[in-house]
C-alpha cells in the first residue's frame, strides 16, 4: 500500500498519545519516524511502532520523559534520557548542545539512556541547519547482540551507528550509517517482503555467508560492514557512546533485556573557528562539485554524496506516497489496537 505523509504522521502520533505521551512529544516521534520512511530508511520508520508499543506497555519506554542535564563543565555536557522516547530526549540533548556550541565554538555532549534514537542523521541535520559540523558515535544495548566481530561467529555487538554531518550553503552532507553491513531493521524489512538480503550482510549459525533474512532468527549473525574496518568503527562507537557517554556496553549480559537503548557521544563544532567559514564552505562546495563531476562507472547513473540518496527518496515519496508492505502494516495496526486506538480510527 501507499500512504501519504500527513495521514501516516497523524496515525502514528495518535498511537503514541494513546500510550500516554502528550501531543507535543507524540508528534515529534511520529514526524521523526515518518521522515525516516520518506528518506528511504523504512527500517527506522513507522515499522518501529510495534516495538515502541511493546516497550511502553512493559514500562521500559517512558513516553513522557524529558532529558536531564546531569553534568556540565562548559565544554562537556552529559544528559540522561531516563529511557524517554529517543526522538524526544535525544533531540533535547542535541538542541542544548547546539546552543552551547554557538557560544563556546565547540562542545562535546554525552546523551545516555535514550530509548531508541531512530535515524541518527536526524540529529546531524538539526546541527547542520544551525551551521554546525556534528559527529555522533552511538552504541545499542538493552537486548541480545546480533552482530559478530570480524573473524568471529558469536554475536557480540549491535549495529552501532556513526554519523557526521557537514553544513553547506545548500543541502548538508550527511554520512549516517550502521556499522553492520546492513541495519538490523533492513533484515526485518527484507524478511517481511520475502526478499533476500545483499551479499556479505549475513552469516548463518555456522558462520557461512547467506542471503536468507530468516537466518538471523536461526542463530545467524549480521556482518560488520567493510570487514575489520566496520568492526573497528563499531567498537569505537561502543566505547565512546556506551562506555564514555553511556552507562553500559554490550558485555554486560545481565542488562540484555527486551528493549532498545541508545547512548550517544556527540561533538558540535563551529566551522568558523578554523580560518573562517567562507574558506571551509568554498572547499566543501569545490570538493562536492569535483566528486559529482566523476564519470559514472559501468552500470551506475552518477556519483552521489552522502545524504543524496535520502533526499532523492524524500522527493519521490513526498510526490507518490510512502510504500508499506502488508505484513508491516498489519503489525502496526495490531500494535495500535494494543495501545488503545479504536479500530475505526485506523486509516485505509
Ligand atoms: P545506508 O547504507 O542506506 O546509507 C549509509 C550512508 O551512505 C548514508 O549517509 C547515505 O547517504 C550514504 N550513501 C548511500 N548510498 C550512497 C551512494 N551511492 N553514494 C554516496 N553516499 C551514499 O544506511 P544504513 O547503514 O543502512 O543505516 C540506515 C539508518 O539506520 C541510518 O539512519 C542509521 O542512523 C540508522 N541506524 C540506527 C540505529 C539505532 O540504534 N538508532 C542503529 C543502526 C542504524
Amino acid at each position: 500500500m501507499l500512504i501519504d505523509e500527513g495521514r501516516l504522521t497523524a496515525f502514528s502520533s495518535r498511537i503514541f498519545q494513546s500510550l500516554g505521551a502528550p501531543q507535543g512529544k507524540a508528534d515529534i516521534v511520529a514526524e521523526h519516524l515518518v521522515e525516516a520512511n520518506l528518506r528511504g530508511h523504512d527500517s527506522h520508520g513507522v515499522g518501529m511502532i510495534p516495538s515502541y508499543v511493546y516497550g511502553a506497555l512493559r514500562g521500559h519506554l517512558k513516553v513522557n520523559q524529558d532529558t536531564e542535564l546531569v553534568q556540565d563543565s562548559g565544554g562537556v555536557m552529559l544528559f540522561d534520557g531516563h529511557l524517554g522516547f529517543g526522538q524526544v530526549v535525544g533531540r533535547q540533548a542535541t538542541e542544548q548542545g547546539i546552543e552551547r556550541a554557538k557560544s563556546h565554538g565547540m562542545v562535546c555532549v554525552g546523551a545516555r539512556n535514550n530509548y531508541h534514537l531512530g535515524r541518527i542523521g536526524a540529529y546531524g541535520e538539526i546541527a547542520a541547519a544551525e551551521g554546525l559540523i556534528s559527529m555522533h558515535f552511538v552504541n545499542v544495548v538493552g537486548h541480545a547482540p546480533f552482530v559478530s566481530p570480524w573473524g568471529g561467529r558469536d554475536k557480540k555487538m549491535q549495529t552501532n551507528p556513526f554519523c557526521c554531518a557537514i553544513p553547506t550553503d545548500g543541502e548538508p552532507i550527511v554520512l549516517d550509517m550502521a556499522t553492520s553491513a546492513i541495519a538490523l531493521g533492513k533484515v526485518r524489512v527484507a524478511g517481511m517482503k520475502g526478499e533476500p538480503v545483499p551479499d556479505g550482510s549475513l552469516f548463518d549459525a555456522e558462520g557461512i555467508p547467506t542471503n536468507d533474512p530468516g537466518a538471523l532468527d536461526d542463530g545467524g549473525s549480521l556482518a560488520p560492514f567493510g570487514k575489520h574496518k566496520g568492526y573497528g568503527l563499531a567498537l569505537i562507537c561502543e566505547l565512546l557512546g556506551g562506555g564514555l557517554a553511556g552507562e553500559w556496553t554490550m558485555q554486560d549480559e545481565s542488562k540484555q533485556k527486551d528493549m532498545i537503548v541508545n547512548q550517544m557521544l556527540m561533538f558540535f563544532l563551529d566551522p568558523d573557528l578554523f580560518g573562517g567559514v567562507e574558506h571551509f564552505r568554498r572547499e566543501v562546495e569545490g570538493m562536492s562539485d569535483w566528486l559529482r563531476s566523476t564519470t559514472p562507472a559501468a552500470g551506475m547513473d552518477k556519483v552521489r554524496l552522502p545524504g543524496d540518496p535520502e533526499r532523492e527518496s524524500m522527493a519521490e515519496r513526498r510526490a507518490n506516497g510512502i510504500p508499506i508492505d502488508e505484513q508491516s502494516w498489519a503489525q502496526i495496526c495490531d500494535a495500535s489496537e494494543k495501545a488503545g486506538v479504536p479500530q475505526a480510527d485506523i486509516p485505509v
Side-chain angles (χ1 to χ4, degrees):
M1 62 177 273
L2 284 172
I3 183 163
D4 83 81
E5 177 187 353
R7 282 204 307 159
L8 191 55
T9 307
F11 178 46
S12 306
S13 175
R14 177 79 206 282
I15 296 172
F16 302 136
Q17 289 175 59
S18 271
L19 290 171
Q23 187 179 350
K25 289 188 170 77
D27 284 348
I28 288 172
V29 184
E31 283 161 15
H32 179 120
L33 293 180
V34 172
E35 187 173 330
N37 286 108
L38 284 169
R39 290 188 184 269
H41 293 297
D42 295 333
S43 56
H44 287 71
V46 294
M48 291 303 299
I49 289 175
S51 155
Y52 292 178
V53 170
Y54 177 90
L57 294 180
R58 268 154 195 78
H60 295 152
L61 163 61
K62 317 286 183 211
V63 298
N64 190 16
Q65 185 66 52
D66 292 301
T67 198
E68 182 190 3
L69 181 60
V70 290
Q71 275 179 45
D72 186 355
S73 52
V76 177
M77 305 166 87
L78 178 62
F79 293 89
D80 194 319
H82 298 300
L83 299 185
F85 270 122
Q87 290 85 352
V88 173
V89 292
R91 189 186 178 100
Q92 290 170 337
T94 299
E95 287 172 347
Q96 291 190 53
I98 287 170
E99 283 316 303
R100 181 65 56 84
K102 282 183 180 169
S103 57
H104 281 53
M106 180 178 179
V107 68
C108 178
V109 175
R112 59 173 51 164
N113 296 326
N114 312 287
Y115 211 83
H116 191 236
L117 283 164
R119 194 178 65 87
I120 306 304
Y123 309 99
E125 285 154 9
I126 295 172
E130 298 291 332
L132 298 175
I133 297 166
S134 74
M135 265 183 276
H136 309 252
F137 299 87
V138 183
N139 88 329
V140 192
V141 280
H143 58 91
F146 285 103
V147 183
S148 48
W150 180 245
R153 197 188 284 197
D154 304 334
K155 294 172 271 194
K156 297 280 179 162
M157 283 195 284
Q158 285 295 1
T159 54
N160 292 357
F162 167 79
C163 172
C164 180
I166 308 277
T168 75
D169 287 329
E171 300 289 355
I173 295 169
V174 184
L175 176 64
D176 170 29
M177 49 179 245
T179 50
S180 49
I182 58 172
L184 178 62
K186 287 188 176 163
V187 183
R188 168 176 54 79
V189 171
M192 299 271 194
K193 291 180 176 169
E195 292 172 358
V197 294
D199 288 347
S201 34
L202 272 189
F203 296 114
D204 69 13
E206 306 301 317
I208 298 168
T210 175
N211 301 95
D212 174 12
L216 204 53
D217 293 331
D218 291 334
S221 65
L222 266 174
F225 87 89
K227 303 181 179 178
H228 55 288
K229 301 180 189 183
Y231 160 54
L233 184 55
L235 173 61
I236 299 299
C237 289
E238 189 72 30
L239 297 179
L240 297 187
L244 187 64
E247 275 187 337
W248 86 96
T249 53
M250 209 41 169
Q251 65 182 313
D252 188 347
E253 291 183 87
S254 70
K255 288 188 165 179
Q256 289 173 13
K257 300 196 174 83
D258 209 1
M259 54 186 185
I260 316 171
V261 180
N262 282 142
Q263 318 201 76
M264 172 159 68
L265 189 79
M266 304 186 267
F267 292 94
F268 298 107
L269 175 64
D270 183 347
D272 205 19
L273 291 174
F274 297 89
V277 71
E278 287 78 18
H279 165 76
F280 180 62
R281 293 269 169 124
R282 265 199 313 279
E283 289 297 330
V284 172
E285 196 180 325
M287 197 61 210
S288 302
D289 292 346
W290 168 252
L291 291 171
R292 286 191 202 285
S293 70
T294 311
T295 308
M300 307 296 279
D301 59 344
K302 61 178 175 179
V303 165
R304 293 171 171 78
L305 297 186
D308 285 347
E310 286 76 10
R311 282 187 284 274
E312 288 169 14
S313 168
M314 189 132 160
E316 190 276 319
R317 290 185 171 191
R318 280 225 153 112
N320 301 318
I322 296 169
I324 301 187
D325 66 89
E326 276 176 28
Q327 207 181 335
S328 299
W329 185 248
Q331 289 185 359
I332 294 167
C333 294
D334 181 55
S336 79
E337 284 187 57
K338 289 196 173 96
V341 177
Q343 210 172 10
D345 290 0
I346 296 175
V348 188

